[in-house]
Amino acid sequence: MHPATAKWYDRRDSVFIEFCVADSKDVKVNFDKTKCGFSCLGGTDNVKHENEIDLFDAIDENESKHKRTDRSVLCYLRKAQPGKAWPRLTKEKAKLSWLSVDFNNWKDWEDDSDEEMGNFDHKLSFQLSLDAFDTIGEDDLPDLDGADDDESADSDDESKC
């Protein structure tokens, strides 16, 4: 049994934690006023994952929820005191090897023009947008000014993704 890898980010009225466990089964998420507990079986080997987090500040456990996908379990923790920034997820300042900040979803509040940041399905709709982007063909992309149209010049020297 070991902790699941997780990423987190802060919003004005909520905190999101994503436990990165593919093919999770028997998912259990417990919300307490100052704690969040997570456990599941994950992967083809059915590895037991368990995380217990003493939260930085209080949450509304009745308004907090989670959603399982094939790749992870996303938890939405409603802050008891909206508008109060969390500089870290945990009460203690200790660095946890399994926990990191989700910088892709982090947002500076000063730049924040939306009042409603508690949309739990935001991340899923973003993923759907990315999936739609994957269907765009090369002809659908705009011409880039200054781009070199001569493909034969250094094409053999460049590594391909």
Side-chain angles (χ1 to χ4, degrees):
M1 194 167 48
H2 63 282
T5 301
K7 335 182 251 191
W8 80 283
Y9 59 99
D10 186 35
R11 289 290 194 261
R12 203 174 288 281
D13 64 351
S14 56
V15 173
F16 289 84
I17 307 171
E18 184 174 18
F19 294 98
C20 306
V21 180
D23 301 322
S24 58
K25 298 175 224 33
D26 299 331
V27 174
K28 292 181 183 78
V29 180
N30 300 312
F31 299 112
D32 189 13
K33 193 147 194 74
T34 59
K35 291 186 183 207
C36 176
F38 171 79
S39 67
C40 74
L41 297 175
T44 55
D45 298 339
N46 286 326
V47 175
K48 174 83 172 172
H49 297 280
E50 192 168 330
N51 301 63
E52 184 76 26
I53 304 170
D54 289 322
L55 299 169
F56 175 78
D57 207 348
I59 61 168
D60 182 345
E61 64 267 27
N62 297 321
E63 292 293 319
S64 298
K65 50 191 170 181
H66 73 279
K67 184 176 275 186
R68 184 201 162 280
T69 68
D70 289 340
R71 295 180 7 182
S72 64
V73 177
L74 182 64
C75 297
Y76 164 85
L77 286 65
R78 181 77 168 188
K79 291 180 180 179
Q81 296 179 7
K84 183 178 179 185
W86 287 24
R88 60 185 178 278
L89 179 64
T90 60
K91 185 174 266 325
E92 301 298 321
K93 290 185 178 182
K95 172 83 172 122
L96 302 172
S97 62
W98 53 267
L99 182 64
S100 63
V101 173
D102 186 350
F103 287 107
N104 290 333
N105 288 305
W106 196 271
K107 197 174 214 179
D108 287 335
W109 291 4
E110 295 81 29
D111 301 336
D112 184 16
S113 61
D114 296 339
E115 287 298 316
E116 178 55 48
M117 294 304 297
N119 184 359
F120 183 62
D121 292 325
H122 169 74
K123 187 166 182 138
L124 292 177
S125 64
F126 179 72
Q127 183 60 45
L128 291 174
S129 298
L130 287 178
D131 292 344
F133 182 75
D134 289 341
T135 64
I136 296 174
E138 189 174 310
D139 295 335
D140 298 328
L141 296 175
D143 258 351
L144 300 176
D145 290 338
D148 187 7
D149 289 335
D150 184 17
E151 294 181 27
S152 63
D154 292 322
S155 63
D156 293 337
D157 298 338
E158 296 177 14
S159 62
K160 296 183 181 183
C161 297

